Amino acid sequence: MAISSRIALMATALLGLALTQPLKTEAHGVESSLRYLEGQLELTSSFSTGEPVEGAVVRLLQADGTPGKELGRIDADGKLEVTLPELADGLVDLQVDGGPGHRDYLTLPLQQGQVNLDEVVMGPGGRDNLNWAMAPALVGIVGLMVRVRGIRSR
């Protein structure tokens, strides 16, 4: 394989890796944490930069994923304290909605009318983990292509 072909192949691989990485201009992720004591739920939400998600609407979601009852809004300190309404045992989905690209989802397991924090599930993860998982695979595919082309040119 000619040196110029290898350089072109490596440049293409690097471009592919660069395109799989998140752009700096994308929306900040929202990160939330919960405290629950005797029926009082304290939700703290901030952007990944640490800035509070002030004004974000916190609501329950219907079983079909559509917006349900609004519980309140995140204050300037990034907090909301709320008493959950009477809900049946099972899983309840909670959404922190700071607008498109600025949402967080939590699934709250209710048992005997109380939230079991040990089993809270954080909602859909970002693409960051997927990008880092894809990078070694892309490098491996490029390496395989180089070896196969090297064998064919002999």
Side-chain angles (χ1 to χ4, degrees), residues 1-96:
M1 177 181 249
I3 291 178
S4 61
S5 296
R6 286 182 186 222
I7 291 172
L9 184 61
M10 292 305 287
T12 302
L14 288 173
L15 179 62
L17 282 172
L19 292 175
T20 62
Q21 298 305 312
L23 300 174
K24 297 290 182 195
T25 58
E26 287 183 3
H28 304 293
V30 174
E31 302 168 352
S32 301
S33 63
L34 293 171
R35 286 182 32 184
Y36 183 75
L37 184 62
E38 298 178 13
Q40 185 74 17
L41 182 70
E42 182 184 287
L43 177 67
T44 304
S45 292
S46 62
F47 293 111
S48 56
T49 60
E51 180 184 345
V53 187
E54 183 179 358
V57 176
V58 178
R59 66 175 57 97
L60 296 172
L61 294 178
Q62 305 286 345
D64 63 359
T66 58
K69 180 178 180 177
E70 185 175 315
L71 299 176
R73 292 185 177 263
I74 301 293
D75 66 16
D77 294 326
K79 295 184 180 189
L80 171 67
E81 289 186 18
V82 64
T83 300
L84 289 176
E86 291 290 322
L87 299 167
D89 286 356
L91 299 177
V92 174
D93 292 318
L94 191 70
Q95 178 190 55
V96 178

Side-chain angles (χ1 to χ4, degrees), residues 112-134:
Q112 299 173 353
Q114 300 290 316
V115 176
N116 183 351
L117 285 183
D118 292 334
E119 295 182 22
V120 170
V121 177
M122 301 300 187
R127 284 184 30 192
D128 294 343
N129 294 336
L130 180 61
N131 288 339
W132 286 110
M134 287 175 30

